[in-house]
Amino acid sequence: MRVVEIPKSGGGVRPLGIPTVGDRVVQMVAKMHLEPVVEPHFDPDSYGYRPVKSASDAVATTRLQCWRYDWPIDLDITGFFDNLDWELVMKAVRHHIQTTLILLDIERRLQAPVQRQDGSREERRGRFRAR
């Protein structure tokens, strides 16, 4: 995966991952296997990366909920995906998918280094724990 740094409005930069063609193929295969299995477990008011749900749907739900509740919660967890425990991620994936090739491909993509704009390669921040 290639990484490009995008300037933030408040200063600083945010890394943006640009998947290779191979990455996109693996992502689609994983999505095709995982989505029908895990989709029923998500909260109906969850809108991120969900089929048949859009940002407009999220805004509409937010408008309705604002009239029902006295307080809002807005969360932004800095570096959330950079700090995931990949073993826990894989444990959750294995709970739903047993196809060995898909599991190996997902694990390889998690471990693969990223390529910076200058061509250098960098290990990802998240790690599997030493066994």
Side-chain angles (χ1 to χ4, degrees):
M1 180 173 299
R2 211 172 130 222
V3 173
V4 176
E5 292 182 340
I6 306 298
K8 288 181 167 182
S9 59
V13 294
R14 179 179 72 84
L16 175 66
I18 302 173
T20 65
V21 172
D23 292 330
R24 288 187 187 272
V25 169
V26 171
Q27 288 170 0
M28 185 54 69
V29 170
K31 177 185 183 292
M32 289 170 51
H33 280 80
L34 278 169
E35 191 172 77
V37 176
V38 299
E39 179 63 25
H41 298 284
F42 288 112
D43 187 280
D45 285 343
S46 172
Y47 290 87
Y49 306 103
R50 301 279 302 281
V52 197
K53 292 201 175 200
S54 68
S56 297
D57 295 332
V59 170
T61 298
T62 301
R63 283 186 178 141
L64 287 173
Q65 302 258 354
C66 283
W67 295 109
R68 291 185 194 148
Y69 301 102
D70 293 332
W71 42 267
I73 297 177
D74 180 24
L75 298 173
D76 182 13
I77 304 172
T78 303
F80 176 79
F81 291 105
D82 294 333
N83 296 297
L84 284 175
D85 181 331
W86 292 347
E87 284 188 24
L88 288 176
V89 170
M90 289 307 299
K91 182 178 179 181
V93 171
R94 283 187 196 97
H95 177 76
H96 296 286
I97 300 294
Q98 288 77 42
T99 308
T100 305
L101 288 176
I102 293 171
L103 293 170
L104 285 173
D105 274 340
I106 293 170
E107 203 165 301
R108 280 188 201 127
R109 300 298 166 178
L110 287 173
Q111 294 177 11
V114 295
Q115 183 177 358
R116 291 267 170 212
Q117 287 175 282
D118 64 4
S120 64
R121 291 186 176 258
E122 182 180 302
E123 294 297 318
R124 295 192 187 207
R125 283 186 233 158
R127 299 272 186 261
F128 285 99
R129 288 180 288 215
R131 295 181 181 175

